[in-house]
Amino acid sequence: MTGRPERLAGLLPDAGADLVLISKLVDVRYMTGYTGSNGLAVVGPDTRVFVTDFRYVEQAAAEVDPGYERRRDRGTGDLLDLVAEILPAGELRLGFDDSDLTIRRHARLRERLPERVTLVAAGGLVERLRVVKEPREIELVRTAAQVADTALAEILAQGLIGRTERSVADALESAMRTHGARRPSFDSVVAAGSRGALPHAQPRDVPIAAGQMVTIDWGAEVEGYCSDCTRTVAAGEPTGRARELYELVLRAERAGLEAIRPGVGGREVDAAARTVIQAAGHGEHFGHGLGHGVGLEIHEAPRLSMRSTDTLQESTLVTVEPGVYVPGELGVRIEDLVMVTADGAETLTSIDKELLVTH
């Protein structure tokens, strides 16, 4: 956690705040090291306080960075009740995450704070820090990607034809755990045939038939950090139409990857891949953004999309995942997880992208 509180404190003046209340658990983890399910922190130039309840006192002692003063709640059932006691004297502007704190919780907090404290909406401050990954974070995501790739290679070697989508997903998630994942970083997608046209299709108890394209979207979580990858494979010999769409998506993905470098906007990277698909007449069949950041959350900043206002920075991790989804027919998505480097992008996922035909 070294340096993170200081960097966060450096963002406070631009947010119009003197201190910030961190309530979103993933941000609490990033700032303090705490992995429990109930905790908050208050951070300012001279303030580092962490609060939890009785159940997590021992866990906090082991996990929370020693630079934080640790407090336990008063047994009221709401950690917000202790915030007023944490704050320094005098008039203060306390930032809060307006993307996390509900209206009800905001009202409760306001009731418990003295009038000298002004609440200031300051959502996204910690996520801004999380965008640029530290070496240890990159190492963990790299490991997660390796775990996920190893697991999928094992599953594909066993073949797909005749197995149900659900059984493939279950076997894949089990293999990831066997190879070191704490859990999948999200519910795995295994979608065969026309179901591939649903970007987030849920696996069914339906056998995969010969000749179908199968989209597999999966990832592993290692020490809290996620990986994300998608491959579309052929269960038996694919049709010419399927090969054509696969090659189109592969060209689009390569165009997106080539556009990545520090200083380029997420909108521009999205456009590099989207233009390829649009030129082939399938613009209406690519309806989601090109990619997103990955780290402690499977979807985090920055975003690669037509509406993105984000700019890529070195040591940021993002996905590049164009797709073509033809309703009632098939879908193809190819996704890689990459790190933005000084002069481009390093791909962290390793499964071959040439169309794989399995039995």
Side-chain angles (χ1 to χ4, degrees):
M1 309 303 115
T2 303
R4 292 178 184 176
E6 289 76 16
R7 286 189 288 137
L8 179 59
L11 298 177
L12 294 179
D14 288 342
D18 300 306
L19 304 96
V20 63
L21 169 66
I22 306 168
S23 56
K24 187 177 179 180
L25 281 173
V26 68
D27 289 340
V28 173
R29 176 173 186 162
Y30 180 82
M31 293 303 304
T32 72
Y34 171 74
T35 66
S37 65
N38 195 28
L40 58 80
V42 176
V43 174
D46 301 307
T47 302
R48 311 279 190 277
V49 182
F50 169 83
V51 181
T52 190
D53 65 56
F54 170 81
R55 297 169 298 167
Y56 296 104
V57 169
E58 292 302 314
Q59 181 177 343
E63 292 181 342
V64 173
D65 185 276
Y68 284 82
E69 175 189 351
R70 298 192 308 276
R71 297 275 195 97
R72 177 183 144 188
D73 77 334
R74 302 297 188 195
T76 64
D78 193 333
L79 302 184
L80 293 179
D81 293 345
L82 201 63
V83 172
E85 300 179 24
I86 294 171
L87 302 178
E91 292 189 359
L92 293 170
R93 296 164 298 171
L94 177 64
F96 69 95
D97 190 342
D98 51 325
S99 69
D100 177 70
L101 206 65
T102 65
I103 293 174
R104 179 177 295 181
R105 300 271 291 155
H106 177 274
R108 184 179 180 93
L109 177 61
R110 179 65 274 173
E111 290 173 358
R112 280 152 180 75
L113 293 176
E115 291 185 1
R116 65 183 179 85
V117 178
T118 300
L119 287 174
V120 177
L125 288 182
V126 178
E127 188 174 13
R128 283 171 58 185
L129 296 183
R130 288 166 44 203
V131 165
V132 177
K133 302 302 190 282
E134 299 164 3
R136 175 58 176 164
E137 294 180 285
I138 294 170
E139 178 184 342
L140 289 173
V141 174
R142 192 188 301 275
T143 299
Q146 292 170 348
V147 166
D149 289 351
T150 299
L152 183 69
E154 286 186 1
I155 299 306
L156 294 181
Q158 299 165 12
L160 297 176
I161 298 173
R163 302 171 70 180
T164 67
E165 294 172 343
R166 190 184 306 278
S167 69
V168 172
D170 289 345
L172 177 57
E173 294 181 359
S174 176
M176 285 192 284
R177 290 187 177 94
T178 296
H179 288 287
R182 180 185 178 193
R183 58 192 171 195
S185 49
F186 55 93
D187 292 337
S188 302
V189 173
V190 179
S194 62
R195 294 280 294 180
L198 304 175
H200 287 170
Q202 295 183 343
R204 304 166 300 162
D205 291 316
V206 175
I208 296 168
Q212 288 185 319
M213 298 291 280
V214 184
T215 297
I216 303 175
D217 189 351
W218 82 111
E221 181 188 309
V222 173
E223 294 187 36
Y225 284 83
C226 303
S227 73
D228 192 2
C229 187
T230 305
R231 290 293 182 267
T232 301
V233 302
E237 190 60 32
T239 65
R241 163 79 162 170
R243 284 188 178 275
E244 176 187 338
L245 291 181
Y246 189 92
E247 290 302 319
L248 170 60
V249 174
L250 183 56
R251 290 198 305 273
E253 204 235 5
R254 286 172 172 161
L257 292 172
E258 290 172 1
I260 288 179
R261 61 186 181 277
V264 173
R267 184 179 304 170
E268 286 70 34
V269 179
D270 179 277
R274 192 172 302 277
T275 299
V276 175
I277 293 174
Q278 290 172 335
H282 285 284
E284 66 179 309
H285 296 143
F286 179 27
H288 58 71
L290 181 65
H292 53 84
V294 176
L296 284 169
E297 294 181 288
I298 194 60
H299 294 98
E300 57 183 47
R303 270 68 180 179
L304 310 181
S305 73
M306 292 184 288
R307 294 177 295 277
S308 175
T309 58
D310 296 328
T311 300
L312 296 183
Q313 303 176 64
E314 188 174 351
S315 297
T316 294
L317 302 179
V318 295
T319 65
V320 176
E321 49 181 300
V324 169
Y325 311 93
V326 184
E329 185 180 351
L330 80 164
V332 175
R333 182 166 67 254
I334 303 171
E335 173 187 18
D336 281 305
L337 176 57
V338 304
M339 176 177 66
V340 182
T341 64
D343 55 2
E346 176 191 348
T347 302
L348 304 186
T349 40
S350 62
I351 295 286
D352 193 358
K353 286 183 289 192
E354 295 301 324
L355 179 58
L356 174 65
V357 180
T358 187
H359 59 283

